[in-house]
Amino acid sequence: MRTISRRGFLAGIAAGAACGGCATAGRMSSARRPNILFIMSDDHAAHAISAYDGRLIQTPHLDRLAKEGCLFTHVFATNAICTPSRASILTGQYSHVNGVPVFNKLDPAKITVAHRMRQAGYYTALIGKWHLGSDPQGFDHWEIFPGQGVYFDPVLYTDEGSKKYVGEHATDVVTRLTIEQLRSRPKDKPFFMMMQHKAPHRPWQPALRHQAVWRQKTIPEPATLFDDYATRTDALREQKQSVAHDLTRQDVKEDVPAGLAGRDRTRWLYQRYMQDYLGCIQGIDESVGLVLDELDAQGLAENTVVIYTSDQGFFLGDHGLYDKRFMYEESLKMPFLLRWPRGVRAGTRQEAMAINCDFAPTFLALAGAEVPAEMQGVSLTPLLGGTIPSDWRKSMYYRYYHDPGDHNTARHYGVRTETHKLIFFDKKEQWECYDLGKDPEELRNIYGDPAAQPAVAALKAELFRLKKQLGDDDRYADPREWPKESSYVKPPAARAPKP
Ligand code: CA
């Protein structure tokens, strides 16, 4: 646990801020606390942002955040699935501590970072996807989708009632409502605003203007689309999240052309999946551009920390898969872009290892508020100068519980270090180990290799050290111990229409 005082943080930033455009130490110490605009999408893999990888799509507005701020390359979800990652972001805690290991409801009595930001004097607001079962707490204003929400004619509700936005697309509605909040917020205090998109979550339905463009495109295939899973454990062979076998007609929106079989059929499915997925991303990129324009128009850009992330990554045909859940890189990795002209040099790249539990401590540190000991993450503010403190974390712990679950993804836990990854599929007691330096695509499981045994032993020791340090006592390993109330329970019909 590391806490950092506001004074210490600002001094650190100033010391690392040699850039001409950044404030001097004197100005920093008297500077107003920054606004925070946290933008999160759902299931957006980093390799579908051109600032990370330009092969699939160009995202000029997202790239602007990287060009004018900091691009983080190693930010990881601790449980790569929607509801648990959202709970970790709000609480700064792992799933086994915050009580949200699967699709279960967040205890509404739980004190989250929203309460603490409000207590610190911030105006707090949340628009869009919540998906934590209970109503949001600690926000001065919120308007959210019930459960997952829908793409077209979306319903959103507040504590006063619900409203159906007929004829509109979810991404456009969330953008507009956020801009309205940016305009109507109280101007006498800083704001902490969360804009949380439904897109690009399955069933990948872009706005028609983006769908029309992307249906004409041919998307490059990933190198591992036809991964044969050699050397891997049973988990990859038994999953039901493959492009070849598990995409439904609802996913691809039309019948597979007659006569297509084998790899040609898989290739067609991949194209249909990715055309719509990337169409959704184009909508997100447009949304980010509009809110950045609004910050410019209000003269807020200089001292507003804008963060863009997603609740986890996603397989874009990588290893022949869609969806997330597995600890492999494409799913584990979260995009994370942070722009703050007053405190961060433009074009910074940060390779330090971060996790979703770090977000809440980061918000609090930016607000000059204390990070409570109950939070298991640490503030990322010491990284904003672009350097890495010598005592920064060099490994992270991961655990996925949802088994039995939607895609028959075997439950597992593991450790990722700067050079290796060790995954334990505990139900069958099977292991996978990867040398990420030599094998970044994670195709060769070296767990049984004689030459790898010193590395495997060290990784096992690190895995169980982290597990113990984080207090993971296996309390949710058995599905009978999962909390019972679902995060899908919110019935919009029970809400009166908004006046
Ligand atoms: Ca998600």
Side-chain angles (χ1 to χ4, degrees):
M1 189 67 245
R2 185 184 296 125
T3 57
I4 185 162
S5 69
R6 179 169 175 243
R7 184 183 297 249
F9 154 56
L10 291 174
I13 287 291
C19 56
C22 296
T24 64
R27 280 164 61 200
M28 288 300 293
S29 59
S30 60
R32 283 190 58 194
R33 295 185 297 169
N35 303 303
I36 299 171
L37 175 60
F38 176 80
I39 308 171
M40 183 160 72
S41 57
D42 194 339
D43 296 357
H44 189 176
H47 51 313
I49 295 177
S50 44
Y52 285 94
D53 185 337
R55 283 176 291 184
L56 294 175
I57 186 170
Q58 292 304 307
T59 51
H61 303 294
L62 287 162
D63 290 8
R64 207 182 134 189
L65 293 175
K67 282 196 194 98
E68 298 173 4
C70 181
L71 177 145
F72 286 73
T73 57
H74 289 77
V75 179
F76 301 120
T78 49
N79 180 0
I81 195 161
C82 306
T83 298
S85 181
R86 285 154 196 274
S88 287
I89 287 167
L90 286 165
T91 61
Q93 295 171 334
Y94 270 81
S95 304
H96 63 273
V97 175
N98 66 32
V100 188
V102 289
F103 285 102
N104 63 278
K105 142 177 154 172
L106 176 70
D107 180 354
K110 185 98 182 158
I111 300 297
T112 71
V113 73
H115 296 93
R116 296 185 191 280
M117 291 298 284
R118 188 158 71 175
Q119 199 171 30
Y122 274 65
Y123 175 73
T124 57
L126 179 140
I127 305 288
K129 182 168 173 180
W130 172 249
H131 201 198
L132 284 160
S134 48
D135 284 348
Q137 306 293 325
F139 291 95
D140 294 305
H141 175 84
W142 55 268
E143 182 158 5
I144 60 171
F145 300 119
Q148 293 275 20
V150 294
Y151 279 109
F152 292 105
D153 301 336
V155 171
L156 284 96
Y157 70 92
T158 68
D159 46 7
E160 293 173 346
S162 64
K163 183 171 175 186
K164 187 171 187 173
Y165 292 86
V166 178
E168 294 194 75
H169 187 270
T171 301
D172 297 332
V173 173
V174 168
T175 307
R176 196 181 75 236
L177 292 177
T178 302
I179 289 173
E180 283 172 13
Q181 270 299 299
L182 286 169
R183 290 177 184 169
S184 65
R185 75 198 151 82
K187 305 294 192 294
D188 59 343
K189 50 169 88 170
F191 64 80
F192 170 64
M193 220 171 274
M194 304 180 95
M195 173 168 88
Q196 302 194 162
H197 284 296
K198 168 183 176 57
H201 194 280
R202 197 185 187 193
W204 315 301
Q205 295 171 334
L208 299 180
R209 62 186 187 278
H210 299 127
Q211 178 189 297
V213 172
W214 281 88
R215 290 270 174 107
Q216 305 303 315
K217 295 192 189 242
T218 303
I219 320 298
E221 291 172 5
T224 60
L225 181 60
F226 298 104
D227 187 349
D228 63 5
Y229 306 148
T231 75
R232 266 62 64 78
T233 65
D234 292 342
L236 272 174
R237 284 180 286 273
E238 292 177 354
Q239 50 70 28
K240 296 197 182 303
Q241 56 185 89
S242 78
V243 170
H245 306 293
D246 303 307
L247 285 173
T248 66
R249 193 189 181 288
Q250 190 195 10
D251 291 328
V252 299
K253 290 101 180 171
E254 57 188 285
D255 293 326
V256 181
L260 275 187
R263 289 195 170 194
D264 288 342
R265 182 176 179 279
T266 304
R267 291 195 156 106
W268 183 90
L269 289 164
Y270 169 78
Q271 290 299 327
R272 285 294 309 109
Y273 156 43
M274 287 301 293
Q275 286 164 345
D276 284 350
Y277 180 90
L278 294 173
C280 287
I281 301 300
Q282 205 77 76
I284 296 286
D285 187 57
E286 206 175 273
S287 164
V288 169
L290 290 169
V291 294
L292 293 183
D293 287 350
E294 180 63 24
L295 294 178
D296 287 340
Q298 291 194 36
L300 293 172
E302 178 72 11
N303 199 28
T304 298
V305 178
V306 180
I307 292 171
Y308 180 83
T309 190
S310 165
D311 54 354
Q312 12 58 215
F314 216 65
F315 295 105
L316 306 180
D318 315 285
H319 300 291
L321 305 176
Y322 66 95
D323 212 76
K324 52 261 182 176
R325 301 162 197 271
F326 280 112
M327 198 189 165
Y328 305 123
E329 290 294 274
E330 296 85 356
S331 151
L332 179 70
K333 190 175 280 188
M334 309 166 83
F336 196 89
L337 306 169
L338 186 152
R339 187 190 76 169
W340 180 25
R342 182 161 289 182
V344 176
R345 187 200 315 249
T348 302
R349 184 181 172 93
Q350 178 52 271
E351 296 183 353
M353 199 179 285
I355 57 176
N356 54 0
C357 300
D358 296 336
F359 298 1
T362 304
F363 304 147
L364 292 171
L366 288 167
E370 194 156 336
V371 178
E374 68 184 31
M375 290 188 176
Q376 296 177 294
V378 295
S379 169
L380 302 178
T381 49
L383 303 175
L384 296 184
T387 55
I388 307 178
S390 58
D391 60 346
W392 194 257
R393 80 161 67 77
K394 293 177 174 58
S395 62
M396 61 81 62
Y397 180 71
Y398 179 87
R399 187 154 192 167
Y400 172 78
Y401 297 87
H402 198 220
D403 173 13
D406 297 330
H407 292 282
N408 200 41
T409 312
R411 74 188 195 212
H412 56 286
Y413 58 95
V415 63
R416 190 202 190 281
T417 67
E418 291 169 319
T419 57
H420 286 77
K421 187 182 292 178
L422 180 73
I423 311 176
F424 181 38
F425 295 94
D426 59 305
K427 204 160 61 174
K428 289 192 172 185
E429 299 196 6
Q430 294 179 336
W431 297 81
E432 292 180 9
C433 183
Y434 300 97
D435 180 334
L436 299 172
K438 290 183 186 152
D439 177 26
E441 291 182 319
E442 301 170 295
L443 293 170
R444 197 171 123 62
N445 175 17
I446 59 170
Y447 181 76
D449 288 9
Q453 293 318 298
V456 168
L459 287 161
K460 270 190 190 174
E462 180 62 4
L463 173 64
F464 291 109
R465 184 191 73 80
L466 283 173
K467 189 177 181 219
K468 185 175 178 189
Q469 182 195 63
L470 293 164
D472 181 0
D473 55 5
D474 296 312
R475 74 188 67 173
Y476 298 127
D478 183 338
R480 288 169 299 185
E481 303 299 326
W482 292 350
K484 294 288 180 278
E485 286 185 280
S486 164
S487 65
Y488 285 91
V489 293
K490 185 59 63 185
R495 301 272 171 171
K498 260 168 87 172

